[in-house]
């Protein structure tokens, strides 16, 4: 059952700041005194889909002309919270995803007691026999240094698998700009710790917690390499005997389909000046008053997002970083979008 689509309208369309004020109309102004305020969209419930196509922004101040020059800190920033990978929520407009997967990536590396097979249509590392397994990827080099701040990986195994079915670890080896790639990596960090069980989370969104397994965080990287280790205690239902082999060991268990690294990039919707905001806008309007002072700007930012449960879009006004003479007097943000409802079915 799919209910009708409704247009976001009224106060529900505004991004509202967190406040004890029960009246939502008093929470739509995101620029108050010296405070940094963030307005967030209405909560997206289970079975709902909020499709956003743009944001209408209204900005008022004593004189907005000086803010057309780039400031030291952002004036306004927009953030989208999406489930980029199962369990991993982050902003797709602030990250580039590195996906290490497929026959090419897997076969370029060094395989020990593993074979690359097509499992359910996807190239997958599958254990071979009963010995410990290891895959070391090729070294991937990049033209400019960058930072990795999160990672996720896909195991073709349900989390309902018995915890003692197998255990694994994933390590990221990396080189910095002044280090030679023909030498072993001087730095590494465990994305999945030693003896990780299949029931554990398959992502890490805070690499700071890995500092006990690394000397430095993965910043200023120019090259990296992935190491995957696994020990299989029990095979799964996948069985394939290799014809002609003297030792007819079974293909034991599908273990790894992909490793995804999230590279931090310059946010696409972080504006250090009103000029940057206007240039990003699909439409805008200026309102001048006497003595040539620009008092008000209306702008439409086209930003697309399909938000489901636990996802959100927000806008922050960084009034706390501006000199008193440049602070914004009023800012509101209204979403252009629709809400679709497909209530979840409860079987009885």
């Amino acid at each position: 059952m799919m209910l009708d689509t409704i247009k976001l309208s009224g106060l529900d369309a505004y991004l509202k700041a967190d406040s004890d004020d029960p009246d939502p109309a008093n929470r739509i102004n995101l620029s108050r005194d010296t405070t940094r305020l963030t307005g967030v969209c209405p909560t997206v419930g289970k079975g709902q889909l909020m499709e956003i196509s743009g944001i209408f922004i209204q900005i008022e101040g004593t004189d907005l002309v000086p803010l057309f020059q780039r400031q030291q800190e952002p004036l306004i920033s927009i953030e989208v919270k999406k489930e980029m990978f199962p369990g991993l929520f982050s902003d797709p407009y602030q990250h580039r995803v590195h996906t290490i997967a497929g026959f090419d990536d897997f076969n370029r590396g060094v395989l020990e007691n593993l074979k690359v097979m097509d499992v359910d249509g996807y190239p997958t590392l599958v254990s071979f026999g009963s010995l410990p397994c290891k895959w070391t990827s090729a070294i991937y080099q990049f033209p400019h240094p960058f930072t990795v701040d999160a990672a996720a990986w896909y195991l073709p195994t349900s989390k309902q698998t018995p915890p003692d079915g197998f255990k694994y670890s994933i390590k990221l080896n990396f080189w910095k700009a002044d280090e030679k790639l023909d030498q072993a990596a001087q730095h590494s960090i465990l994305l999945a710790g030693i003896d990780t069980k299949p029931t554990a989370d398959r992502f890490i969104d805070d690499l700071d917690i890995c500092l006990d397994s690394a000397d430095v965080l993965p910043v200023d990287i120019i090259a990296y390499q992935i190491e995957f280790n696994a020990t299989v205690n029990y095979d799964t239902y996948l069985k394939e005997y290799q014809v002609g082999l003297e030792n007819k060991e079974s293909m034991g268990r599908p273990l790894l389909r992909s490793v995804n690294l999230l590279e931090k990039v310059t946010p696409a919707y972080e504006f250090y000046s009103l000029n940057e905001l206007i240039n990003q806008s699909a439409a805008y309007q200026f309102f001048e008053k006497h003595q040539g002072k620009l008092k008000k700007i209306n702008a439409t930012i086209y930003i697309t997002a399909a938000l489901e449960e636990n996802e959100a879009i927000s806008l922050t006004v960084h009034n706390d970083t501006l000199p008193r003479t440049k602070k914004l007097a009023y800012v509101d943000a209204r979403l252009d979008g629709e809400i679709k409802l497909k209530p979840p079915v409860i079987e009885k």
Side-chain angles (χ1 to χ4, degrees):
M1 178 181 68
M2 173 65 77
L3 300 186
D4 200 4
T5 299
I6 61 171
K7 184 78 173 177
L8 268 173
S9 60
L11 288 175
D12 288 341
Y14 283 89
L15 302 181
K16 293 182 279 292
D18 188 17
S19 172
D20 295 332
D21 196 323
D23 186 356
N26 296 330
R27 297 190 279 126
I28 63 174
N29 180 14
L30 305 179
S31 181
R32 304 178 196 164
D33 302 326
T34 61
T35 307
R36 177 181 303 192
L37 286 180
T38 298
V40 184
C41 69
T43 301
V44 182
K46 190 172 183 179
Q48 281 188 325
L49 175 66
M50 183 184 294
E51 292 188 340
I52 305 300
S53 57
I55 303 179
F56 304 114
I57 303 175
Q58 181 175 207
I59 303 172
E60 297 180 9
T62 304
D63 184 11
L64 301 177
V65 172
L67 293 178
F68 275 78
Q69 299 178 355
R70 183 177 172 89
Q71 307 298 307
Q72 293 294 325
E73 301 292 337
L75 300 177
I76 292 174
S77 58
I78 301 171
E79 184 174 351
V80 177
K81 178 186 175 185
K82 282 285 296 178
E83 189 174 20
M84 296 183 63
F85 296 96
L88 175 58
F89 291 84
S90 196
D91 188 344
Y93 294 107
Q94 297 186 27
H95 292 92
R96 177 186 292 121
V97 178
H98 300 227
T99 298
I100 302 95
F103 285 108
D104 189 36
D105 283 337
F106 286 145
N107 285 320
R108 276 184 176 178
V110 178
L111 298 165
E112 298 179 21
N113 300 312
L114 288 167
K115 186 176 179 65
V116 186
M117 294 183 61
D118 186 312
V119 179
D120 296 331
Y122 297 93
T124 304
L125 290 179
V126 180
S127 65
F128 186 79
S130 57
L131 296 174
C133 311
K134 183 177 182 180
W135 169 67
T136 304
S137 77
I139 298 173
Y140 297 93
Q141 183 180 5
F142 298 88
H144 304 291
F146 62 92
T147 295
V148 172
D149 68 354
W153 48 95
Y154 187 91
L155 307 182
T157 301
S158 169
K159 285 191 175 182
Q160 302 300 319
T161 299
D164 58 348
F166 69 97
K167 54 188 177 182
Y168 69 96
S169 67
I170 301 176
K171 183 165 68 171
L172 174 67
N173 300 321
F174 57 95
W175 290 258
K176 290 177 173 286
D178 56 347
E179 296 170 356
K180 296 181 179 180
L181 300 185
D182 58 356
Q183 299 178 356
Q186 298 182 27
H187 313 287
S188 65
I189 188 167
L190 283 172
L191 304 178
I194 297 173
D195 294 342
T196 298
K197 297 180 180 180
T199 53
D201 290 335
R202 299 171 185 182
F203 68 90
I204 181 167
D205 57 1
D206 185 4
L207 289 178
D208 288 340
I209 66 176
C210 294
L211 274 179
D212 58 347
S213 66
D215 51 352
V216 294
L217 289 174
V219 299
D220 297 328
I221 295 175
I222 60 161
Y224 62 70
Q225 180 184 57
I226 302 293
E227 281 189 24
F228 173 77
N229 290 271
T231 300
V232 177
N233 298 322
Y234 306 111
D235 288 351
T236 185
Y237 291 109
L238 179 68
K239 294 281 186 180
E240 181 175 308
Y241 287 90
Q242 305 299 303
V243 177
L245 290 182
E246 198 172 296
N247 180 16
K248 292 184 174 59
E249 291 273 17
S250 68
M251 301 300 295
R253 178 183 287 275
L255 292 173
L256 182 68
R257 186 176 293 174
S258 67
V259 176
N260 305 282
L261 305 177
L262 272 63
E263 173 192 345
K264 186 73 173 176
V265 299
T266 303
Y269 294 98
E270 190 172 76
F271 307 110
Y272 284 75
S273 70
L274 293 180
N275 183 56
E276 293 179 2
L277 186 144
I278 293 302
N279 289 336
Q280 190 73 32
S281 300
Y284 56 87
Q285 188 176 10
F286 294 159
F287 297 86
E288 294 186 20
K289 288 194 175 181
H290 64 283
Q291 298 179 348
K293 291 186 177 182
L294 182 60
K295 298 285 189 177
K296 180 178 176 181
I297 295 175
N298 286 349
T300 302
I301 303 290
Y302 280 171
I303 177 172
T304 58
L307 306 177
E308 297 181 338
E309 187 180 14
N310 297 324
E311 299 177 344
I313 186 169
S314 61
L315 182 144
T316 300
V317 178
H318 301 257
N319 239 8
D320 57 327
T321 65
L322 294 173
R324 182 167 293 278
T325 56
K326 296 183 179 180
K327 292 191 185 300
L328 302 174
Y330 180 89
V331 177
D332 69 33
R334 181 166 54 89
L335 297 175
D336 182 20
E338 298 176 333
I339 293 183
K340 298 179 180 180
L341 177 62
K342 185 177 181 180
V345 175
I346 300 176
E347 300 289 355
K348 287 190 176 180

